[in-house]
């Protein structure tokens, strides 16, 4: 019994020290409220927007999705930890793969990335200035979003869930 305690005590101490590290990993540093981020994105969608040379008419509002926020946090954390910038994870998973792994049954999936901006408004401004990122912001197929910043990396995830009682068969995410 004494031997078991001697073995378990250091393990418990190590694990208890790891818990704060794991919880920090799940936190974003947006420095604005989710409501503010959602409001700003929805203002752009409600007005319509010129993305590159094409004008996009107003589209419906997005709602916040906690799973999409968590996938954004996870991808931002990974890019920060391993110092890379990509729409694919280090394992080669695209945004659709990452949504599926998180349990988000998606019909549509999308992602905007940014690096180096100090504030959410700067990241949003840069996404609007980029025709491909702006197009994703204005995509009428997208109904939900989640955003995260970790370190210098910003991740904005968009999605629309599959209708109830349906499932995807051999269809993968594709860019654009």
């Amino acid at each position: 019994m004494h031997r078991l305690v001697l073995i378990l005590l250091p393990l418990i101490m190590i694990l208890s020290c790891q818990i704060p590290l794991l919880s920090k990993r799940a936190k974003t540093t947006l420095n604005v409220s989710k409501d503010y981020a959602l409001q700003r994105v929805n203002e752009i969608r409600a007005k319509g927007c010129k993305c590159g040379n094409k004008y996009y008419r107003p589209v419906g509002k997005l709602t916040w999705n906690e799973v999409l926020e968590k996938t954004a946090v996870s991808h931002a954390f990974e890019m920060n930890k391993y110092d890379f910038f990509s729409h694919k994870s280090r394992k080669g998973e695209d945004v659709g793969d990452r949504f599926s792994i998180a349990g988000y049954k998606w019909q549509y999936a999308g992602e905007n990335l940014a690096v180096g901006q100090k504030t959410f408004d700067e990241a949003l401004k840069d996404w609007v200035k980029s025709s491909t990122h702006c197009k994703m912001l204005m995509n009428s197929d997208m109904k939900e979003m989640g955003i995260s910043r970790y370190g210098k990396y910003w991740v904005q995830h968009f999605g629309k869930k599959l209708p109830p009682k349906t499932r995807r068969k051999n269809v993968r995410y594709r860019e654009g």
Side-chain angles (χ1 to χ4, degrees):
M1 178 70 165
H2 182 63
R3 188 181 242 177
L4 181 62
V5 170
L6 289 176
I7 293 170
L8 288 178
L9 188 58
L11 182 62
I12 291 168
M13 289 174 65
I14 290 169
L15 288 175
S16 66
C17 291
Q18 294 299 315
I19 291 170
L21 295 176
L22 295 174
S23 66
K24 282 183 185 176
R25 198 164 97 175
K27 290 182 182 173
T28 184
T29 56
L30 267 181
N31 295 331
V32 297
S33 71
K34 297 172 190 178
D35 290 338
Y36 177 81
L38 189 60
Q39 175 190 341
R40 293 286 290 124
V41 169
N42 282 331
E43 285 171 0
I44 293 166
R45 289 172 62 92
K47 285 188 227 172
C49 194
K50 188 172 181 184
C51 302
N53 293 326
K54 184 176 178 185
Y55 175 76
Y56 286 81
R57 294 179 182 188
V59 294
K61 289 183 175 184
L62 297 171
T63 58
W64 192 266
N65 182 282
E66 297 294 325
V67 175
L68 297 183
E69 178 187 17
K70 287 177 184 172
T71 59
V73 170
S74 177
H75 193 54
F77 174 81
E78 181 185 38
M79 289 191 296
N80 186 70
K81 181 176 181 179
Y82 296 103
D83 195 27
F84 74 100
F85 186 67
S86 175
H87 286 285
K88 296 216 178 208
S89 73
R90 290 179 64 236
K91 294 179 182 176
E93 299 156 340
D94 63 35
V95 66
D97 295 329
R98 288 181 268 125
F99 284 11
S100 295
I101 290 165
Y104 185 85
K105 295 179 180 180
W106 58 274
Q107 182 174 2
Y108 296 102
E111 176 176 75
N112 279 344
L113 302 179
V115 63
Q117 296 80 359
K118 302 287 186 216
T119 67
F120 168 75
D121 287 319
E122 286 178 30
L124 184 60
K125 182 179 176 184
D126 286 350
W127 285 328
V128 170
K129 285 193 309 190
S130 161
S131 62
T132 56
H133 294 91
C134 181
K135 183 179 171 183
M136 183 57 67
L137 282 166
M138 295 304 296
N139 188 328
S140 63
D141 291 328
M142 302 304 177
K143 305 300 180 194
E144 301 176 304
M145 77 168 203
I147 301 174
S148 177
R149 173 185 174 210
Y150 201 100
K152 63 183 179 180
Y153 299 97
W154 295 85
V155 179
Q156 182 178 37
H157 279 167
F158 300 91
K160 178 181 177 182
K161 291 180 184 170
L162 280 171
K165 299 182 182 180
T166 59
R167 64 186 177 107
R168 192 178 321 94
K169 286 178 76 173
N170 298 326
V171 176
R172 299 201 27 90
Y173 168 80
R174 63 182 171 77
E175 290 287 324

